[in-house]
Amino acid sequence: MTTEYDPYLFLAVFLGIALVFPLAPLGLARLWAVLYSNNKPGPIKNATYECGLESKGDARVQFRSDYYLYGIVFLIFDVEALFLLPFAVAFTGLPMGAIVAMLVFLLLLVEGLVWAWKKGVLSWT
Amino acid sequence: MSWIEHLSPTQQFVLFSTLKVLCVIVVLLPTIAYSVMAERRVSAAIQDRVGPNRVGPFGLLQPLADGLKFILKEDFTPAHVRKVFFWIAPAVAMVPAFMTMAVIPFGSTLGAQKMVIADLNVGILYTFGIVSLGVYGIILAGYASNSKYPFLGAIRSTAQMISYEIAMGLSVIPVFLCVGDLNLGQVISYQSNHGWLVLYAPVSFVIFLVAAFAETNRLPFDLPECETELVAGYHTEYSSMKFALFFLGEYANMIAASAMMVTLFFGGWTLPFFGLDQPATGILGGFLHIGIFMGKMLMFMLLFIWVRWMLPRFRYDQLMDLGWRRFVPLGLVNIVATAIFLWMRA
């Protein structure tokens, strides 16, 4: 009874059940729709939702390039956070040199942040 | 319990894993349903209204009635959408919220079983990995709807969620500087020996709390579904059960965020008195610990609901400014300050 199991197996079982949870109601709703209340589409009902106005043009509208810039900065800093976690775990036993090395790494990233800030990437105008 | 010994290891594994997972789901589903109910009642109380009180005693059967209504509503798929993505988006939005719960220790022990679904030694890394997946449901919904409001809502939401993920990721690092282990069970045992981590890393807690609001798209950061500009954001074109899944997914995310905050900063299932900070020996103690965890989690849920009806919405530039130009530098300073403090003490 006290046998240790691979925790990732539990995770797999949980994923299975977590998948059932959204799929079952979707299936149930679909079943009800097929059996008792078929779709009654119409031109108005099928129209794109736009606050009562007729929809103009394609839905693929142009959007600000600022979103891309945030995406790129995100990539750098997300990886940074990942590198910081192992550092945090090993912290108590680290020698002075390793801590200084980590602070230098941190400083380089702060420099990146300052650069992006100066470039105006982080200000939404 | 002798019949358990006769089962083969594989059968035992299947039995215990299924039991544990089923218990979690059985507790989780009503919690989600009733947090919706609580939201409606609390908002009614704040706005001096009555709120839903007709279905059953004190309106307690309202979640059931809502669920039934969602199933019976016309399951409509507009003609202009990309059907496959339109259908899988609600499921993709829902599953990560559930998967986050898997590593959270919601109690000490019950019998010989640890009360955590998967006791991973990289707990927090797993959590951040799964939380990042939450973005996909939203961006898929916005893309598949093939309509302007959902598209803009999805893009906004993505930018917001990835920005605050950075703040969240940086905010937890001081916690692990103190603890020295990524396993969430170890985080709790550290707290039972040394006191709650909110006392050691208050700045981390503040950043994490605000980032949790932004990650779950709750007011004051509900820009992705801000009614005055984008109708309902990424789920404008959704109706019936598919909409319900997005809606419930938001509450599941809130519960997961509350559970994370309780685990990381507020001692998880421990209480610092009556000897409740050590793993339970009996069945009763085990249930008591689960109760304590649930109690703390519900306090955070109430905070989420309360804040929603108290604060106005941020503007988008204010939101990004707060995330990138306030919280990211603050998080970095916090890491360095905590590291220097711990190093000086050692």
Side-chain angles (χ1 to χ4, degrees):
Chain A
M1 201 165 152
T2 48
T3 328
E4 285 293 320
Y5 299 108
D6 189 351
Y8 290 95
L9 281 173
F10 281 106
L11 221 52
V13 175
F14 195 63
L15 176 64
I17 294 187
L19 275 176
V20 168
F21 178 69
L23 294 183
L26 274 181
L28 206 61
R30 186 80 219 135
L31 195 69
W32 179 268
V34 168
L35 290 181
Y36 301 108
S37 71
N38 278 313
N39 280 346
K40 296 169 260 321
I44 304 286
K45 215 170 177 179
N46 268 329
T48 310
Y49 187 96
E50 256 174 56
C51 292
L53 297 174
E54 295 241 346
S55 166
K56 276 202 186 108
D58 195 28
R60 304 276 167 262
V61 289
Q62 288 188 335
F63 59 91
R64 301 173 66 110
S65 56
D66 299 41
Y67 290 113
Y68 283 117
L69 298 177
Y70 280 114
I72 292 166
V73 181
F74 159 75
L75 273 183
I76 300 163
F77 279 90
D78 209 31
V79 174
E80 175 196 3
L82 281 187
F83 277 128
L84 283 175
L85 277 172
F87 160 69
V89 170
F91 180 71
T92 38
L94 281 184
M96 189 66 194
I99 291 176
V100 171
M102 206 60 208
L103 286 180
V104 170
F105 170 70
L106 213 61
L107 204 66
L108 285 176
L109 281 151
V110 170
E111 192 200 340
L113 186 72
V114 170
W115 182 81
W117 195 321
K118 279 274 175 337
K119 273 278 179 186
V121 173
L122 302 182
S123 47
W124 188 268
T125 45
Chain B
M1 300 290 268
S2 63
W3 60 275
I4 290 175
E5 308 294 338
H6 295 303
L7 297 172
S8 71
T10 325
Q11 285 168 320
Q12 280 192 19
F13 166 72
V14 171
L15 182 72
F16 285 127
S17 57
T18 318
L19 265 181
K20 231 195 259 186
V21 171
L22 276 183
C23 287
V24 171
I25 297 281
V26 161
V27 175
L28 206 54
L29 287 188
T31 315
I32 296 175
Y34 279 95
S35 56
V36 178
M37 162 97 192
E39 166 111 58
R40 294 174 68 181
R41 289 307 291 257
V42 170
S43 67
I46 287 175
Q47 298 176 332
D48 205 10
R49 293 185 282 117
V50 180
N53 69 344
R54 293 288 143 187
V55 192
F58 307 107
L60 280 177
L61 297 180
Q62 185 71 36
L64 274 180
D66 286 345
L68 197 64
K69 192 173 171 183
F70 274 128
I71 288 179
L72 300 186
K73 283 278 170 185
E74 181 179 346
D75 188 29
F76 187 70
T77 312
H80 54 85
V81 302
R82 287 162 207 256
K83 294 232 162 41
V84 178
F85 297 133
F86 191 77
W87 272 86
I88 53 177
V92 173
M94 187 94 210
V95 171
F98 271 79
M99 292 304 290
T100 324
M101 318 275 190
V103 287
I104 290 168
F106 51 90
S108 52
T109 49
L110 208 57
Q113 294 287 316
K114 264 198 217 169
M115 283 298 103
V116 51
I117 289 177
D119 194 20
L120 300 186
N121 51 7
V122 291
I124 193 74
L125 280 179
Y126 166 85
T127 314
F128 277 109
I130 296 293
V131 165
S132 312
L133 293 181
V135 161
Y136 284 105
I138 288 174
I139 196 117
L140 258 186
Y143 167 76
S145 293
N146 204 3
S147 166
K148 286 181 195 113
Y149 290 125
F151 181 67
L152 291 173
I155 287 185
R156 264 192 191 189
S157 178
T158 312
Q160 169 183 338
M161 283 170 89
I162 62 178
S163 300
Y164 278 84
E165 212 179 292
I166 304 277
M168 201 182 233
L170 292 179
S171 77
V172 297
I173 285 165
V175 169
F176 292 95
L177 279 173
C178 293
V179 177
D181 200 313
L182 293 179
N183 185 313
L184 293 177
Q186 293 298 321
V187 174
I188 289 179
S189 64
Y190 178 90
Q191 292 182 86
S192 68
N193 295 328
H194 296 83
W196 291 358
L197 275 162
V198 67
L199 303 172
Y200 294 85
V203 182
S204 294
F205 171 65
V206 171
I207 300 178
F208 194 93
L209 181 72
V210 176
F213 275 88
E215 285 284 315
T216 50
N217 294 331
R218 291 286 294 187
L219 255 150
F221 304 114
D222 70 337
L223 274 299
E225 37 194 302
C226 115
E227 293 91 343
T228 42
E229 296 165 28
L230 293 173
V231 190
Y234 56 88
H235 54 56
T236 303
E237 297 280 354
Y238 280 88
S239 57
S240 75
M241 203 64 213
K242 294 197 278 301
F243 165 72
L245 286 182
F246 279 118
F247 189 68
L248 294 178
E250 184 184 317
Y251 283 85
N253 269 323
M254 277 159 65
I255 289 175
S258 307
M260 274 315 284
M261 279 189 277
V262 169
T263 310
L264 289 179
F265 298 104
F266 284 86
W269 42 262
T270 64
L271 272 186
F273 26 81
F274 305 130
L276 282 170
D277 50 358
Q278 296 308 321
T281 42
I283 296 283
L284 198 67
F287 278 117
L288 193 60
H289 277 150
I290 295 176
I292 291 171
F293 183 81
M294 291 289 286
K296 288 181 181 175
M297 208 176 75
L298 293 181
M299 294 301 284
F300 272 104
M301 289 300 285
L302 271 180
L303 179 73
F304 267 103
I305 293 169
W306 184 46
V307 165
R308 174 170 176 186
W309 300 97
M310 284 295 162
L311 295 181
R313 185 182 292 128
F314 273 58
R315 262 192 348 250
Y316 200 73
D317 62 316
Q318 292 171 329
L319 172 93
M320 295 312 251
D321 204 58
L322 186 69
W324 281 105
R325 302 213 284 187
R326 301 286 180 275
F327 280 164
V328 171
L330 184 63
L332 288 169
V333 168
N334 190 24
I335 293 168
V336 175
T338 314
I340 289 173
F341 173 72
L342 285 175
W343 189 74
M344 297 280 274
R345 207 181 54 174

